[in-house]
Amino acid sequence: MTSPATAPPASQPAPRRGQVLTWGLWDWGSSAFTTIILTFVFSVYLTGSVGDDLPGTISVNSWLSWSTAAAGLLIALMAPVIGQSADRAGRRLRSTGLWTAAVVVTVALMFFVRDDYQYLWLGLALLGLASIFFELAQVSYFALLSQVSTPANVGRVSGFGWSMGYFGGIVLLLLVYVGLIAGDGGALGLGTGDGINIRVVALVAAVWFAVFAIPMFFSLPETPPAAARARLGVLGSYRKLLTDLRDLYRREPHTVYFLGASALYRDGLNAVFAFGGVIAVTVYGMDPGTVLIFGVVINVVSALGALAGGWLDDRVGPKAVVVGSLAGLVIVGIILLFVSGPNAFWVFGLVLGLFVGPAQASSRSYMNRLCPPGQEGQLFGLYATTGRAVSFLAPALIGLFTYLFSSDRAGTVGIVLVLAAGLVAVLPVKAPVRSAEAVPTA
């Protein structure tokens, strides 16, 4: 298989360091959603406080997993067509901006989720909507990777972006922990009544994302439109999508295989973030405040892992990094099934974080190396779609095992199974062949 990755077109200026930095700042700002809202603060607030006294036999963790699965289904239907439209019209930057703004507004609305189980449904709805908007923003944002990198450094640039996200999460976690969470409402003394401190954290997260996302939109040029633009409509876009996917399979079947394999293991990675903080509290007995400290430390570990993985990616290729990371995740995940207590979670949870960063960053660079020039938005739309086509799997398995065995620990089996399936599926996929230009010199 030959790799379609090429240097930026002649009409596009070579990426500048400042553009790489502002592109990475979007990842830094997006940590407000992935770290604060999705993993360590708001989701824990929903399951541990808002839904704590939820009537009925179905656990709040099950409701969270099923709402996450429903959001994933909508993403799967929307992502490739939106990415295709951005490619065709030359609106990747604008598309990223619109969906980023939608995330910011939805996160800000989480301020109205009070500490009462009657507000659980509002919280789940807002979390689901924000997840949809965030994934759609990532479709165009990931496609912009080709504008800020070359074949020789795409692994390092992708790893830099992921590490910026982790480091941004560290800084923001520390700020909200000290200012709004530690003790009884943090140094600002807001208190914890009616969840006011966590609700203000949601506002801080919204502002954080907006502020650090903005520089990219003044630094990067908008992508030019495709040579031939045609209004396809919704049904026409899906027909073109199926045609392009069929043609892609004929030309580059292993690109399609990678999309399918990565769909499985990325669903497992998403589940680690979506349910990691919840599992730390409900399964391993970690105090919610301690979860934030753990979040700071694991973000440091994951950031270092992403930087190291990006360096290895440009030297040994993305497949080796992905396979090694997934193998580590599966082994550590199995160990976590048999240990108990917060101390054990500290040790093995941090080891888990070491493998998450490289798996994410190298998956993004792998896809970028496979994208034909000018089709990055559509291919990353397919990347999001295939990831979300099975995105119900890990949350549904978590909910199923939790319900069948009446145990939150049993639910973690679902994450391990999906990661293992992804590892098995990616093994026969051929790695992209890199041109001489793409091989870094010492």
Side-chain angles (χ1 to χ4, degrees):
M1 185 183 75
T2 59
S3 172
T6 63
S11 60
Q12 176 183 309
R16 302 190 304 269
R17 287 182 181 271
Q19 292 177 330
V20 175
L21 176 61
T22 58
W23 180 81
L25 282 176
W26 192 95
D27 264 321
W28 174 287
S30 72
S31 64
F33 177 72
T34 56
T35 303
I36 300 297
I37 301 300
L38 195 60
T39 305
F40 292 112
V41 180
F42 189 76
S43 61
V44 174
Y45 169 65
L46 279 182
T47 56
S49 297
V50 178
D52 185 47
D53 54 350
L54 181 69
T57 59
I58 300 178
S59 75
V60 67
N61 280 11
S62 293
W63 285 117
L64 175 62
S65 62
W66 291 332
S67 67
T68 303
L73 177 60
L74 291 174
I75 293 166
L77 294 173
M78 298 169 65
V81 173
I82 288 173
Q84 179 192 106
S85 174
D87 281 341
R88 196 168 59 248
R91 293 196 303 253
R92 288 182 197 160
L93 198 63
R94 188 171 78 173
S95 181
T96 305
L98 289 174
W99 294 117
T100 298
V103 177
V104 169
V105 171
T106 309
V107 169
L109 290 174
M110 293 177 185
F111 173 79
F112 298 101
V113 179
R114 298 176 179 273
D115 187 2
D116 186 315
Y117 76 85
Q118 295 182 17
Y119 287 85
L120 175 65
W121 317 115
L122 174 61
L124 291 175
L126 290 173
L127 189 61
L129 284 173
S131 298
I132 293 170
F133 299 149
F134 183 75
E135 288 283 348
L136 295 177
Q138 281 193 324
V139 169
S140 297
Y141 173 72
F142 285 2
L144 292 170
L145 176 59
S146 62
Q147 290 182 230
V148 296
S149 67
T150 67
N153 69 5
V154 62
R156 281 167 287 171
V157 171
S158 183
F160 168 73
W162 280 114
S163 68
M164 285 287 282
Y166 287 124
F167 284 127
I170 294 166
V171 175
L172 186 54
L173 272 173
L174 287 173
L175 288 175
V176 299
Y177 178 74
V178 173
L180 296 166
I181 296 175
D184 189 19
L188 296 180
L190 282 182
T192 59
D194 210 17
I196 185 61
N197 60 327
I198 305 300
R199 291 158 56 201
V200 171
V201 166
L203 292 178
V204 172
V207 173
W208 180 275
F209 194 1
V211 167
F212 288 105
I214 286 173
M216 182 180 73
F217 301 103
F218 292 94
S219 172
L220 295 186
E222 182 61 278
T223 50
R229 287 182 57 184
R231 289 188 174 275
L232 298 177
V234 176
L235 293 179
S237 295
Y238 278 107
R239 281 195 295 268
K240 186 177 186 304
L241 171 65
L242 293 175
T243 300
D244 290 347
L245 189 58
R246 180 194 61 199
D247 293 342
L248 178 65
Y249 179 75
R250 290 173 177 172
R251 295 192 320 268
E252 304 285 350
H254 281 272
T255 299
V256 179
Y257 300 157
F258 172 72
L259 287 170
S262 68
L264 287 170
Y265 70 73
R266 284 184 291 123
D267 186 38
L269 293 174
N270 289 335
V272 170
F273 282 98
F275 296 93
V278 173
I279 289 172
V281 173
T282 60
V283 175
Y284 296 93
M286 188 174 285
D287 179 79
T290 306
V291 168
L292 298 191
I293 302 300
F294 176 81
V296 171
V297 180
I298 199 172
N299 269 269
V300 173
V301 173
S302 298
L304 296 176
L307 289 171
W311 181 85
L312 285 172
D313 185 314
D314 286 330
R315 282 156 177 77
V316 302
K319 182 181 177 181
V321 177
V322 168
V323 169
S325 299
L326 290 177
L329 285 166
V330 170
I331 292 171
V332 177
I334 292 173
I335 293 173
L336 278 169
L337 290 172
F338 298 98
V339 300
S340 301
N343 290 336
F345 189 80
W346 267 98
V347 174
F348 294 105
L350 292 180
V351 177
L352 198 74
L354 185 64
F355 295 111
V356 169
Q360 291 178 313
S362 288
S363 293
R364 181 164 67 182
S365 72
Y366 200 139
M367 190 70 252
N368 181 266
R369 295 179 196 274
L370 296 173
C371 287
Q375 296 182 27
E376 290 87 356
Q378 181 176 351
L379 265 293
F380 272 112
L382 281 171
Y383 183 72
T385 290
T386 52
R388 287 303 181 174
V390 296
S391 64
F392 65 88
L393 188 58
L397 286 175
I398 294 170
L400 178 64
F401 282 111
T402 300
Y403 176 73
L404 290 178
F405 295 94
S406 300
S407 166
D408 289 334
R409 179 185 291 272
T412 62
V413 174
I415 300 177
V416 175
L417 288 177
V418 173
L419 288 171
L423 172 60
V424 171
V426 82
L427 287 175
V429 179
K430 291 181 181 179
V433 177
R434 296 181 295 165
S435 65
E437 178 191 4
V439 179
T441 57

